[in-house]
Amino acid sequence: MDEHEGVARMTTVTIRDVAAAAGVSVGTASRVLSGNPATSAASRERVAAAVARLDFHPNAQARSLRSTRTRTIGLLVSDVRNQFFADLAHAVEQAALAHGYVILLGNANEREDQQDRYLDTLISQRVDGIIVAPQGDGSGVIRSLLRRGIPTVFVDRTVDGIDLPSVTTDSGHGIRQAVEHLADQGHTRIGYIAGPQAISTGRERFNAYTRAIEANGLSRDPALVYFGDFQAASGSSGVHALLNLEQPPTAILAADSPMATGAVAMLHRLGVRIGTDMALVAFDDIEWFALLQPALSVISHSVEKMGREAVDLLLQVIDGGAPESIVLPSELIVRASSSTPHRPGSVSSLRKN
Amino acid sequence: MDEHEGVARMTTVTIRDVAAAAGVSVGTASRVLSGNPATSAASRERVAAAVARLDFHPNAQARSLRSTRTRTIGLLVSDVRNQFFADLAHAVEQAALAHGYVILLGNANEREDQQDRYLDTLISQRVDGIIVAPQGDGSGVIRSLLRRGIPTVFVDRTVDGIDLPSVTTDSGHGIRQAVEHLADQGHTRIGYIAGPQAISTGRERFNAYTRAIEANGLSRDPALVYFGDFQAASGSSGVHALLNLEQPPTAILAADSPMATGAVAMLHRLGVRIGTDMALVAFDDIEWFALLQPALSVISHSVEKMGREAVDLLLQVIDGGAPESIVLPSELIVRASSSTPHRPGSVSSLRKN
DNA sequence: CTGAAAGCGCTTACAG
DNA sequence: CTGAAAGCGCTTACAG
């Protein structure tokens, strides 16, 4: 640390310094910086030179205080460690960057109190808009968003009774395909590890499962459904509970990728061979699911597209539009974990072991 | 959208409205809001009531324009989709939240130009400090950070010639253990899929491999080293190249988890059995590596601790301190992918197939 | 404990 | 095309 750096630490270069160095007024400097066409070539050059020489970075705080635009978008995901949301964050960030926006990322950890805390912060930061995969029933801060007219779109999930543009997946199609596929393999008892029924995707996927089970005349034994929380540990518990039944299922469908991960871990631990002793299908197509042996069958939907569309929708709302919500398709991808036809009698309950 | 919401959309509640509603001056309202003790119980109550009634959210932009503190930390990771960095983002975010800071997350995508773009934005947003896993040689915007005295710490990686506090992993220990372990299994030709030599972790891990190879008297054939870019595709290419040698290796060490993932994918595609035909060890302990069959041996280091320490260090720098850098340990975890003793002659080159 | 006032660093009508 | 000036919403000495 020499004298020079010590001094620099205290000094902040402002537009006033730039104007002085360029020999123009602050107003002119500002116009050049914001690309206002009402500027002469001469001042443009001189200001640009001064900016470079002084290493000037405009104070975004001051700028947005006047212009009420921050060029910042808040993104609130349910769980960054969930690969689906990490991929979503990446997709949103790339799309936003292309439009000159940066992302303020918050992580709710699947908890409403953390979500609300971040929402408060995002409001205070005066983000131009918010993309949120919501928690809870919309009784909390989400209502504030609406009341204050802050441009907001839902992604992945929605909240009942809150009418906001959204980008979601039609989970029903993929789940129907999965159940039919499993029925074709001879499975009649299909276990289901459900997401929380307080979350729209949890409900929608569970309903789709229920309807598909009925449509295919399969067992409607309520014990075949385990209610998890979309996180890995509950997938493990779910498998444990299902295998503990008098009549365990011969196939399991997990409603998201962390729960599927937990399910795989528990099946391994219990020595149950996936694809042979137990068919398994996961909702969400995570890259490494294909690397398991046997590879995991999945219900796939495009997270990349979801992120892009969410940004498009939000930009429309910011521009005063009221765009239609978008529903993306889901599709079953059959791999080895579910493609061995079921031989009746091949699975036994843990109890009998 | 009724009249009410339409009106609300245009209106912004400011501290002036709160003061008026509470019957106090703006100054007093401000003091109450910031917890200044020089306030009477009476005004505290009245202001709190007004805030609640008006749903007031202080404008963070205006606040930080005066106080020069934004309570915001910039975090720049190399690649959010890399589980290691997603976990790191989560750890940093939780630690920051506990200290009342929010995280502005940027993703460099392992590219220096994207990093510099985010760095510019973070500087303009006047974040209180920056935690960065740096790209490049420090010739670009990173120098600006230093010049302007913006509190910054490096995480995971460092940049030569830039003297900033950092939290890194001592990769050497784990890599030495891994090489010794493989040597113990009878491997003499250990392939190495290296990270970019422009990145400190890439260099450090490669050097550790080289030294360990020499120390154990193993083959120093330069063809056994493939230089990747820390991303998955290069792991696949690396495996392909190594198996194409006249004398392929019998074990492979991959310098990060995405490249290890690519390696696994390619080994599967080529029908090479991991743990039997080819031993495999990955740097980074990603949760699902343990779910592969055979489970992947890994060199583990604590991302959770790394995130926490980085925040601690940064807060010290923000408070004017000059903390010492921290080096965390790494440790080999042996699993099935590398624990079958090598039978000479079990691996053949692709060329002979 | 409180109020009036200056000022943080910008942008933006308003004249010219 | 340019300058002078007002103002965005806060915080913070300064008096009292």
Side-chain angles (χ1 to χ4, degrees), chain B residues 169-184:
Chain B
T169 298
D170 168 23
S171 318
H173 181 67
I175 288 185
R176 219 171 310 127
Q177 286 181 306
V179 169
E180 281 166 14
H181 158 68
L182 291 169
D184 285 350

Side-chain angles (χ1 to χ4, degrees), chain A residues 81-139:
Chain A
R81 285 174 304 179
N82 177 340
Q83 185 76 46
F84 173 78
F85 286 110
D87 290 347
L88 182 65
H90 177 259
V92 165
E93 184 230 351
Q94 292 293 306
L97 201 61
H99 292 279
Y101 283 84
V102 269
I103 293 298
L104 237 164
L105 181 83
N107 176 25
N109 256 317
E110 300 282 4
R111 285 174 45 178
E112 190 171 4
D113 59 330
Q114 283 207 30
Q115 162 186 278
D116 285 357
R117 187 161 173 188
Y118 265 106
L119 244 23
D120 274 330
T121 304
L122 294 174
I123 294 173
S124 281
Q125 295 283 338
R126 298 294 190 268
V127 292
D128 290 345
I130 294 178
I131 297 175
V132 53
Q135 314 293 322
D137 59 1
S139 59

Side-chain angles (χ1 to χ4, degrees), chain A residues 153-216:
Chain A
V153 308
F154 285 146
V155 69
D156 182 55
R157 309 168 173 182
T158 58
V159 174
D160 271 5
I162 302 221
D163 185 30
L164 242 28
S166 62
V167 186
T168 54
T169 297
D170 169 23
S171 320
H173 182 67
I175 288 186
R176 218 171 310 126
Q177 286 182 304
V179 169
E180 281 167 15
H181 158 68
L182 290 169
D184 285 350
Q185 309 294 312
H187 297 282
T188 57
R189 294 181 63 79
I190 301 177
Y192 184 70
I193 302 180
Q197 298 303 293
I199 295 177
S200 65
T201 46
R203 285 193 300 276
E204 184 193 349
R205 292 174 197 175
F206 174 54
N207 291 340
Y209 158 82
T210 306
R211 281 196 302 272
I213 288 294
E214 290 173 2
N216 287 275

Side-chain angles (χ1 to χ4, degrees), chain B residues 25 28 31 37-40 43 65-66:
Chain B
S25 73
T28 297
R31 279 183 281 264
T39 48
S40 67
S43 29
L65 188 55
R66 282 283 352 217

